[in-house]
Each structure stands twice: as C-alpha cells, then as structure tokens.
Amino acid sequence: MIPDPDRRTPVFEAVTRESFERDIRPLTRPAILKGLVSHWPAVEAGRRSEAALADHIRAFDTGKPVRVVSTEPALQGRFFYNDDLTALNFAQRPGTVSEVLDRLLADLAAIDAPGLAVQAAPEPDILPGFGAANPQPLLDRNTFARLWIGNAVTVQTHHDLYENIACAVAGRRRFILFPPSRTRDLYVGPFETTPAGALVSMVKLEAPDHARFPRFADAWAEAELADLEPGDALYIPYMWWHHVRSLDAFSVLANYWWNPAPAHLAPMPALIHAMMAVRDLPADQRAAWAGMFEAFVFGPETPAGRHLPPGRQGIQGPMDAAAAAQVREILARTLSQPQ
C-alpha cells in the first residue's frame, strides 16, 4: 500500500480552452481538470456498465493488432523489471482491442486475474472515429487520443517528453507525480531497456528501499497526489514524473501527448552524447565543460551569439530546421570516425 503524499494536485473546474491556456499551462504544474470529459458518450456508457462501454469502443475497432501486456496474478498488475534487471516481468504479444475487452469482461469477478492491458493504442490507426465521437475540448483535433485499456494495473514512475492531458473514461486512476527537478532522487533505471519506451524510476513506491535509494526521501517530500474519477482529466506538464495505478477491474483512459517545441529540437540524443563524451572526464575538465554548457546551452542569454553579425552566428544563433540538419550531418561524420 502506497502512503498518500502530503501534497494534493490543485483542482480546476469548468475549464475552457481559453482558461487552460491562460491560467493552467503557464504554471507548468499538474492540474486536475474536474469533469472535463464527463459529457463524453464513452464516459456515459461506462456509467451504465462495463459491457456498454466495451460495446462503444468495439464500434470503432479496426481489428488491427495492438501490443497486449500481461503479468502473473502474483505480481498484482505491476509492470516492471525482473529482480536482476535481465528482463521485463511481463509478457507481450499481439492482440486486438476487442479481444482484450472480452477478456476483461470475463474476469470482472475474478479474485486472482492476471494483470492485462493495452497501452497507448493510437486512435487513428486502431479506433478511428473515437475522437470525433468523444472530442477533446482543449486541444486541436490533430492531437489524437491514445487509449489505455486494462484492469487493476500499475505503470511504474516514468516521464514523457511531451505535455499530456490524461482523461479517465472508466475506472478510478491514482497518479503520484514528481517534478523534473527531482530526477536525480528517483534513481532512473536502464536507458537501454525500458518497460514501455520511457525511462522509469527504480524505486518501488509500495516499499521504497531507503538504504539503497537514500535521496528518494527528498523526492517524496515534493510528491503530489491526483485521484481521477470517470470524466476527470489530469494535465501533466512536460517531463513531470508520474506513477499511475488503475484502481478497478475495468479501466479505460484516453491520453493526449503533444510537444509545442519544433520537431528538429531533440534533447535526448544530446543527453546521451554528453553522457558518453563529458560525464567521465577528469573533474577539472568537467568543470570547464560545465562553464561551456552554461554559456552556450543553459545560460540566460540564449542563443549566445547575439554579439555576432546575424549572418555569422552559425550554431551560436537561432537553431532552425535547416541549421539543425546541417549540425546532424556534422555530428554523424564526427561520430562515425574511429577514435
């Protein structure tokens, strides 16, 4: 059992697109958007019964394969690594949304049902028409829904390189959130193999090992709790860590990811490259490079080359798509050369 954090995510009611952009997003903090999608036909179907919601979703199912993940009953729906991190603790196979819905309905009364889920099924390919029938009021239509359908499963603390609005369609969801500034205190797992593509924390919130993860207490001091009922939504800002637990035997969530930054800006490869090229330098050299990163990446004067004529700023100037493509070519040549 995870204790409740002291902090609660603030709740906003009667949110409109205008108030979301004006009053919520600029705070860059999570926010519960109370009743945002309570009018959706999908939410109304779920209030009638699990079977009614399953019928609503099946009406959009193309039958295309999705990734179905499942765990043994003893794991209580927790998707993570095995004990020695040599593999994941769940099975993955192709299946269909309708097949998973049927299995969930059949297992509603089961005491020891295996954890079962479809994660992030994209509406345009898998459930076309769901978004038109259940429109997201705060975002453009080209920001499409991804459906998370399952029973009482847990997604380990992770972050996404997007902003996110997560809408509870059926079943209760519990989120525990941590700010990006606490990344170091969450003890991130392997970059090379992750449960679902995103980096995850190695700390089990149900039973944190404080001897192994002593700084986690500092992260927990800034954790906050967000409970969603069907029809509620949660705004998760860019790169906020979140642990997600579905509390019921039939649970459906639709989330919307988007990133307002230009597509040519790709921070993760830069981080990985810096880990390879900078992190293990001697301490005096790392300190020197910290000054360089401060000057050219994180300093208050960004971009740094304002003192140069516009035509001579090069990569010190604004980075547009054409400049980014040129830099990628240079990096590709550099990385391909033997050391």
Side-chain angles (χ1 to χ4, degrees):
M1 186 69 176
I2 302 173
D4 290 351
D6 292 335
R7 300 179 185 221
R8 297 292 185 272
T9 298
V11 177
F12 294 80
E13 300 195 28
V15 175
T16 64
R17 184 165 184 168
E18 292 73 21
S19 65
F20 176 66
E21 295 291 344
R22 182 188 66 238
D23 302 328
I24 297 173
R25 276 192 72 206
L27 300 176
T28 63
R29 297 195 61 84
I32 294 174
L33 315 176
K34 191 67 180 174
L36 180 73
V37 297
S38 59
H39 62 287
W40 275 5
V43 174
E44 293 170 352
R47 290 195 185 105
R48 293 195 298 274
S49 68
E50 293 90 349
L53 176 55
D55 288 342
H56 178 83
I57 295 172
R58 279 196 206 95
F60 305 106
D61 185 14
T62 62
K64 291 183 179 179
V66 294
R67 186 181 75 121
V68 180
V69 295
S70 59
T71 65
E72 296 296 327
L75 294 175
Q76 299 182 318
R78 185 170 185 267
F79 299 128
F80 196 54
Y81 298 98
N82 64 4
D83 290 340
D84 61 5
L85 274 66
T86 57
L88 301 174
N89 74 346
F90 55 89
Q92 307 179 62
R93 62 175 177 82
T96 68
V97 167
S98 292
E99 170 199 338
V100 170
L101 290 169
D102 291 342
R103 178 65 184 276
L104 291 172
L105 291 175
D107 286 348
L108 279 178
I111 298 175
D112 60 348
L116 181 67
V118 171
Q119 298 181 318
E123 176 228 330
D125 294 331
I126 307 302
L127 299 164
F130 178 90
N134 302 278
Q136 166 54 250
L138 304 184
L139 303 171
D140 294 335
R141 182 67 186 94
N142 60 0
T143 305
F144 58 83
R146 295 177 184 269
L147 273 291
W148 303 69
I149 302 169
N151 50 18
V153 298
T154 297
V155 177
Q156 177 66 5
T157 310
H158 67 285
H159 70 190
D160 303 305
L161 303 182
Y162 303 96
E163 297 187 59
N164 185 5
I165 294 178
C167 303
V169 177
R172 298 161 299 149
R173 297 261 174 163
R174 169 160 287 195
F175 290 75
I176 295 178
L177 303 111
F178 303 86
S181 61
R182 286 302 172 189
T183 296
R184 181 172 176 268
D185 304 323
L186 290 172
Y187 297 89
V188 175
F191 276 57
E192 295 79 6
T193 303
T194 66
L199 297 174
V200 301
S201 167
M202 295 304 300
V203 183
K204 297 181 180 181
L205 300 194
E206 300 85 352
D209 184 341
H210 291 288
R212 183 181 176 193
F213 307 120
R215 294 191 309 274
F216 176 68
D218 296 328
W220 188 252
E222 293 193 38
E224 59 184 72
L225 176 69
D227 280 338
L228 299 189
E229 299 287 337
D232 295 341
L234 175 66
Y235 169 59
I236 305 175
Y238 182 78
M239 288 182 68
W240 269 72
W241 294 87
H242 46 290
H243 178 279
V244 190
R245 184 180 173 206
S246 304
L247 301 179
D248 296 302
F250 192 96
S251 185
V252 179
L253 179 138
N255 87 293
Y256 300 79
W257 283 322
W258 80 100
N259 186 340
H264 63 268
L265 300 179
M268 184 57 78
L271 173 64
I272 294 171
H273 189 193
M275 291 167 70
M276 178 192 75
V278 178
R279 184 194 58 201
D280 296 333
L281 289 172
D284 60 328
Q285 294 185 22
R286 280 207 311 163
W289 279 104
M292 294 287 280
F293 274 82
E294 178 65 20
F296 294 107
V297 179
F298 297 111
E301 292 189 9
T302 302
R306 297 174 183 173
H307 58 284
L308 298 172
R312 304 302 300 164
Q313 291 178 358
I315 64 172
Q316 292 189 59
M319 188 67 65
D320 59 18
Q326 185 177 24
V327 171
R328 279 195 295 271
E329 290 181 7
I330 296 170
L331 288 174
R333 289 197 302 270
T334 302
L335 291 172
S336 65
Q337 294 173 356
Q339 299 296 315

